[in-house]
Amino acid sequence: MKFYLLAGVISAVVSFLVSWLVWKLGIKYKWYPKVRERDVHRTPTPRLGGIAMFLGVIVSLLCAWFLFPVIAGQDYFRLVFGEPGRVIAVLAGATIIVVLGVADDIWDLDWMTKLAGQIIAAGILAWQGVAIVSLPIGNTLGVGSSYMSLIFTVLAVVLVMNAVNFIDGLDGLVAGVAIIAGGVFFLYTFFINRVVVETEFFFNLPSLLTAVLVGACAGFLVLNWHPAKLFMGDAGALLVGFLMATSAVSITGNIDPAAVRTRTDLLPAFIPILLPFAILVVPILDFGLAVIRRVSAGKSPFSADRKHLHHRLLDMGHSHFHAVLIFYAWTAVVAFGCLLFLFVNWWWVAAFVAVGFTVCAIVTFAPLGRKRVEIAAQTTASAGAPFDASYDPLDRAAAVRDTRPRPRSTSGDPS
């Protein structure tokens, strides 16, 4: 466990230092685009933080590959790097995604180019065996054929990448969600090898990728917390989605069908595949609704607009900080609900998730009730009743301002 922690710390430190450097250079040389109409922020901000996260991941993986054996005296990650083709495929795919994202952040690429690059990156993973090779369907774990494995892998990776990219609209949102989801997924990958299939493969590729991803997001979040000094851009968001999806599909290769002895083992064996998609159920829903909305309007499914879920939360009356915390809460409920399947009976999990969803729903829709009260108060006031400014902070501020005595003009100007 301590070497996973060391890998995460290295990734976090490199990500933070490079993020700070990119921020300073971005401000000095004005490496930032103009503020768009759909943007939430109003101050031009550099958006090349994905480069810092990428370097954090790369440096950490190289340290685990070449430096950790020297430090520890033995190669704990020999099972990970014993198949270098898989690791190189991950690095190559991540490189393609980051280059594609940086190009999009600078030149605003068309959606077909971005989608083609994503498919190529996912295809490289599948070509080197980082793919969905088994699923607990019926009484077997097989997916049918290598072609089905390729199709499932490409679809899963592309879907997760775009879902993550779609929620990248608020300061600290993607990085925080990735830390919560990645932390829970890391625990799951550790316990599923020990508790469910009872192997000693604690040092595996999914766990290592998740550890370095969480570290990179933590280091970057220091500069990305509201108000953000630096954005991760498409390069960072797509990288987060790519590594989350890669961790999920690569764990299927660590599940030995012979080790899943009973049908009660199928659910824990299946959840690592479902976990990234369950955590991203709201972004995936947002992605699906956006595609339908844009295609129905005759636009590209990847064209930008200001109708995403995080925009709607702000329009409902949530502050920037509260909207981010709401996403965190939904993520935590789903993630920890999946993790609990390893330790308690399913009805306790159902109760936990039901209570969590209820609380999250109440908090999410609470501003709508206040808005109805405010509209009713304003309607009554327009009909001649006394106006009550207590329902809205801006109204309260205006009321206080109006009651203050105005300074007397010394120039004779009545204004």
Side-chain angles (χ1 to χ4, degrees), residues 202-218:
F202 302 144
F203 296 96
N204 53 69
L205 182 60
S207 298
L208 180 59
L209 289 178
T210 305
V212 299
L213 173 61
V214 170
C217 290

Side-chain angles (χ1 to χ4, degrees), residues 22-23 26 31-36 38-41 43-51 101-102 104-106 168 220 224 229-237:
V22 170
W23 169 54
W31 293 344
Y32 45 75
K34 296 180 179 179
V35 178
R36 300 162 296 189
R38 69 177 187 272
D39 289 333
V40 175
H41 66 286
T43 302
T45 305
R47 58 176 66 244
L48 297 177
I51 297 175
V102 170
D104 185 49
D105 290 330
I106 296 175
D168 184 27
F220 171 75
N224 189 235
K229 297 180 177 64
L230 182 67
F231 296 149
M232 66 172 62
D234 279 10

Side-chain angles (χ1 to χ4, degrees), residues 110-339:
D110 63 275
W111 70 270
M112 293 187 64
T113 301
K114 292 187 287 186
L115 183 60
Q118 295 169 12
I119 293 175
I120 291 173
I124 291 175
L125 289 178
W127 175 50
Q128 288 297 322
V130 185
I132 299 176
V133 297
S134 58
L135 289 174
I137 302 173
N139 293 321
T140 179
L141 290 173
V143 296
S145 68
S146 58
Y147 294 106
M148 294 302 296
S149 175
L150 173 64
I151 294 173
F152 285 160
T153 300
V154 171
L155 287 177
V157 173
V158 171
L159 178 62
V160 172
M161 278 194 292
N162 284 285
V164 172
N165 192 33
F166 266 49
I167 66 169
D168 184 27
L170 298 177
D171 300 346
L173 180 55
V174 168
V177 167
I179 291 172
I180 297 171
V184 173
F185 187 78
F186 174 82
L187 294 176
Y188 216 111
T189 57
F190 181 85
F191 284 113
I192 197 173
N193 280 307
R194 179 163 185 162
V195 178
V196 178
V197 298
E198 298 180 358
T199 69
E200 297 297 326
F201 299 147
F202 302 144
F203 296 96
N204 53 69
L205 182 60
S207 298
L208 180 59
L209 289 178
T210 305
V212 299
L213 173 61
V214 170
C217 290
F220 171 75
L221 187 59
V222 176
L223 292 176
N224 189 235
W225 192 252
H226 184 69
K229 297 180 177 64
L230 182 67
F231 296 149
M232 66 172 62
D234 279 10
L238 292 175
L239 176 66
V240 170
F242 177 80
L243 292 179
M244 288 180 66
T246 301
S247 299
V249 301
S250 63
I251 200 175
T252 64
N254 290 345
I255 301 176
D256 182 5
V260 182
R261 298 173 298 278
T262 66
R263 293 191 63 84
T264 58
D265 290 334
L266 289 179
L267 183 58
F270 197 30
I271 286 180
I273 313 302
L274 292 178
L275 184 56
F277 302 97
I279 291 169
L280 296 172
V281 62
V282 176
I284 290 175
L285 176 62
D286 186 25
F287 174 76
L289 293 175
V291 170
I292 295 174
R293 179 174 67 245
R294 294 164 184 173
V295 171
S296 300
K299 299 180 180 179
S300 162
F302 292 92
S303 61
D305 59 26
R306 199 189 181 282
K307 296 182 180 180
H308 292 296
L309 292 179
H310 51 272
H311 293 136
R312 297 181 185 275
L313 287 176
L314 297 178
D315 294 339
M316 286 169 59
H318 288 289
S319 67
H320 191 294
F321 180 67
H322 288 166
V324 171
L325 291 184
I326 287 172
F327 270 93
Y328 287 178
W330 284 103
T331 301
V333 170
V334 176
F336 284 102
C338 291
L339 183 63

